[in-house]
Amino acid sequence: MTVTSLSLTDSFRHYFKINLALSEEQKQSVYGIRYRVYCEEFGYEPLANFPNQMEFDDFDSRSLHCLVTHKATGRGAGCVRLVFPADGKTFEDLPLGRFCADSLDAHLLAQLCLPDKTICEVSRLAVDGAFRRRAGETRTRFGDVDAIDCTFHERRTFSLISVAAFLAATALTDLSGRTNVFAMMEPFLPKLLARSGITFQKIGKEIEYHGYRAPYFSTTSSAIDGMQADLRKLYDAIYKEVKSDYLQHLKAVEAVLPKASSQ
């Protein structure tokens, strides 16, 4: 079977890989993507705050990060993080709770009545501009950026980078038991996910926060159960990759805990 005869999701796996960012190099790739997207391209964060060209914040120390890598170039193409409240903290300790509380429907949120240990937030979903530009478009308003030289068939898979990153985050919610999921999303993303069978409930109004966004809620089970067959195949493959990395992460955490408790 040739690459051109593969389904779009199988083709995506041929050109890209997805990992939990465990190494410092992988995390720097994540922060670099975020810098180029959030600071350089869209101006959501001040360039001056990140002289090393790595965009990060205090939530990153209690987040799990996923990285989508373009196999042919080794370049980071997209990223996402899953943020947990600090130990003993509540919903208000998530980015959405800290920065966007005024946008929430407090009555609806209270009705959900979610245990704090089951909640998380999908955050900082970003796709590098080089994987969003049209073929031959090699410049941005901030200067030269190398375009990705690839075939039309390969370029078609670029549209799945953001969806695949979201699927990786979904796998992490399942693996971590944080199955009540919040997100601040631009209007296009819930619509894009809904076309794939993944639905989110809007739980507040749109506000200006890194562009116009609104708060949404979903559960891991509803996301997985609603996936269309082809997307579920991609999710299952991503889940296996992320699970292997997550188990490695747990071993590293467990190895540190005895040392911390003996001090």
Side-chain angles (χ1 to χ4, degrees):
M1 182 180 292
T2 64
V3 173
T4 54
S5 65
L6 296 174
S7 69
L8 186 60
T9 54
D10 284 335
S11 295
F12 180 86
R13 292 176 59 203
H14 179 81
Y15 294 118
F16 293 93
K17 62 179 181 178
I18 303 179
N19 296 99
L20 185 58
L22 298 177
S23 70
E24 190 59 34
E25 182 180 3
Q26 288 172 319
K27 290 178 182 178
Q28 287 181 359
S29 184
V30 167
Y31 301 150
I33 293 170
R34 284 165 39 176
Y35 177 83
R36 291 189 292 276
V37 173
Y38 278 78
C39 302
E40 287 188 332
E41 188 171 359
F42 292 103
Y44 293 152
E45 302 287 350
L47 293 169
N49 288 358
F50 308 98
N52 62 351
Q53 300 185 352
M54 302 284 170
E55 192 275 322
F56 59 91
D57 59 29
D58 61 326
F59 294 106
D60 288 315
S61 62
R62 47 189 167 88
S63 299
L64 293 174
H65 303 269
C66 287
L67 173 65
V68 182
T69 304
H70 184 237
K71 292 181 179 180
T73 62
R75 179 170 180 165
C79 62
V80 68
R81 72 180 178 187
L82 198 67
V83 186
F84 308 118
D87 291 342
K89 299 291 186 178
T90 63
F91 170 82
E92 287 75 15
D93 197 44
L94 295 173
L96 188 154
R98 184 186 298 182
F99 298 116
C100 308
D102 290 344
S103 70
L104 295 166
D105 183 330
H107 178 68
L108 183 56
L109 188 62
Q111 284 184 321
L112 293 175
C113 194
L114 304 174
D116 294 332
K117 291 184 178 180
T118 69
I119 64 174
C120 63
E121 181 175 343
V122 176
S123 171
R124 285 297 197 268
L125 176 63
V127 177
D128 192 284
F131 294 90
R132 285 186 277 106
R133 290 192 300 279
R134 295 183 297 274
E137 188 176 296
T138 59
R139 291 182 63 88
T140 72
R141 58 194 177 97
F142 294 99
D144 291 310
V145 178
D146 292 335
I148 304 300
D149 185 13
C150 59
T151 65
F152 171 76
H153 183 266
E154 182 175 353
R155 191 171 293 278
R156 286 181 63 239
T157 67
F158 290 7
S159 64
L160 280 179
I161 295 173
S162 59
V163 174
F166 181 84
L167 294 181
T170 302
L172 283 178
T173 67
D174 193 13
L175 289 164
S176 65
R178 298 280 183 162
T179 55
N180 289 306
V181 186
F182 294 93
M184 287 293 294
M185 294 191 286
E186 297 172 86
F188 83 91
L189 186 56
K191 293 177 182 178
L192 175 65
L193 294 172
R195 289 204 297 268
S196 301
I198 302 172
T199 59
F200 270 78
Q201 178 184 4
K202 192 175 182 181
I203 57 170
K205 61 185 179 182
E206 282 191 6
I207 62 167
E208 171 59 37
Y209 176 68
H210 295 160
Y212 277 99
R213 299 171 186 262
Y216 288 85
F217 170 77
S218 187
T219 65
T220 304
S221 59
S222 66
I224 295 174
D225 293 345
M227 287 180 194
Q228 296 177 1
D230 197 32
L231 195 68
R232 178 59 187 266
K233 183 179 178 181
L234 178 60
Y235 172 77
D236 289 342
I238 290 173
Y239 180 90
K240 290 180 181 179
E241 294 182 33
V242 172
K243 180 179 180 180
S244 177
D245 291 339
Y246 183 72
L247 293 176
Q248 183 180 340
H249 162 71
L250 289 183
K251 287 182 180 179
V253 171
E254 290 170 358
V256 172
L257 286 177
K259 296 178 182 179
S261 60
S262 63
Q263 291 176 352

